[in-house]
Amino acid sequence: AAREAVRLRRALVEESPTVYTPDLAMSLNSLANILSEVGERNEALGAAREAVELYRGLAAASPAAYTPDLAGSLNNLANRLSEVGERNEALGAAREAVELYRALVEESQVAYTPNLAMSLTNLANRFSAVGERNEALEAAREAVELYRGLAEASPVAYTPDLAMSLNNLANRLSEVGERNEALEAAREAVRLRRALAEASPQAYTPDLAGSLTNLASILSAVGEQDRALEAAREAVELYRGLAEASPQAYTPRLATSLNNLVIRLSAVGERNEALVAAREAVRLRRA
């Protein structure tokens, strides 16, 4: 469907570029995301690059109308570049997106602060990927501060984003050896996502499982092996339930969580149980 939309809009652009180029750019971004989901990473990158080129031209002609779209498409491009290992170019795209959103926030704080926070989280990941750990931590901290303010003003809308940014911050803190602060951030992320999952299990159980896996790793790093094992077990239980309901979506994550459980079991000397979990992970991934 996404490919057909692009074909139709490409034909429309040939007849009337002024009217339909924005629609084509939007369809290309959508196509890039869907191609990425099915593993067509190079084709996804091509679509994302074209979307950025189109939005860049539109923003040059009409900055007020299209700079937000250009910034969003740059974020998308950064993710697609990262998927194919183009880490430095991905970092450049993520930086430009942050610069654009920062300028937009100065004009309209209410409208664009959420976009800036999202871009900062993305930038933190891109910095981390190229080994710029201090810069990554700085961006992650700023993202958390922005999302915390947004969540205080509008909890329903932004608590999920705050939890996501705390998970990211925990990873960035862990990378620079700030393990206790990383543990604090990871625990807060779990608390927030547990509350969200209680209120809306279908929407937020996957996020809770991801945060528990993250928490298990950080607890292990600070020597809390028993608590790490407890968090890893809960993550496996949650992913097992998700995989039973939706095997195609969650079996890969169940396998990953089983691998994590193996490490936690091994750390406390539960070698036989670790072997059972490792064998199950191999069976799932072989399939």
Side-chain angles (χ1 to χ4, degrees), residues 198-218:
E198 287 173 2
S200 182
Q202 191 169 356
Y204 294 110
T205 297
D207 295 322
L208 173 59
S211 282
L212 284 162
T213 298
N214 200 38
L215 177 61
S217 297
I218 296 171

Side-chain angles (χ1 to χ4, degrees), residues 3-197:
R3 278 178 167 150
E4 185 178 359
V6 166
R7 284 197 301 272
L8 293 172
R9 285 179 161 163
R10 206 179 286 288
L12 290 165
V13 165
E14 290 177 3
E15 296 177 8
S16 182
T18 303
V19 175
Y20 293 110
T21 296
D23 295 323
L24 174 58
M26 180 184 66
S27 283
L28 284 163
N29 262 338
S30 181
L31 177 61
N33 291 335
I34 295 168
L35 285 164
S36 173
E37 288 173 3
V38 299
E40 297 287 347
R41 294 179 176 176
N42 289 323
E43 193 178 349
L45 176 56
R49 282 194 195 277
E50 186 179 358
V52 166
E53 289 170 11
L54 293 176
Y55 277 130
R56 201 178 290 286
L58 290 163
S62 182
Y66 293 109
T67 297
D69 294 313
L70 173 59
S73 68
L74 283 162
N75 258 340
N76 191 45
L77 177 61
N79 291 333
R80 304 293 77 80
L81 285 163
S82 180
E83 286 174 349
V84 299
E86 296 288 347
R87 295 176 178 176
N88 290 321
E89 192 179 352
L91 176 57
R95 272 180 162 152
E96 185 180 359
V98 166
E99 289 166 9
L100 292 175
Y101 278 130
R102 214 178 278 287
L104 288 164
V105 164
E106 290 178 3
E107 297 175 7
S108 180
Q109 187 171 356
V110 173
Y112 294 110
T113 296
N115 300 111
L116 175 58
M118 176 196 66
S119 282
L120 284 162
T121 299
N122 194 35
L123 179 61
N125 292 335
R126 303 288 77 78
F127 270 129
S128 176
V130 298
E132 298 285 350
R133 294 178 175 177
N134 290 324
E135 289 83 351
L137 177 56
E138 183 181 349
R141 282 194 195 279
E142 186 179 359
V144 167
E145 289 169 13
L146 292 176
Y147 276 131
R148 201 178 289 287
L150 290 164
E152 287 173 3
S154 183
V156 174
Y158 292 110
T159 297
D161 294 314
L162 173 59
M164 174 273 299
S165 68
L166 284 161
N167 245 356
N168 189 50
L169 177 60
N171 291 333
R172 303 293 76 83
L173 286 162
S174 186
E175 286 175 350
V176 298
E178 296 287 348
R179 293 176 177 173
N180 289 325
E181 193 179 351
L183 180 57
E184 184 181 342
R187 280 180 163 147
E188 185 179 0
V190 167
R191 284 197 303 272
L192 292 175
R193 284 179 160 169
R194 198 180 292 287
L196 289 165

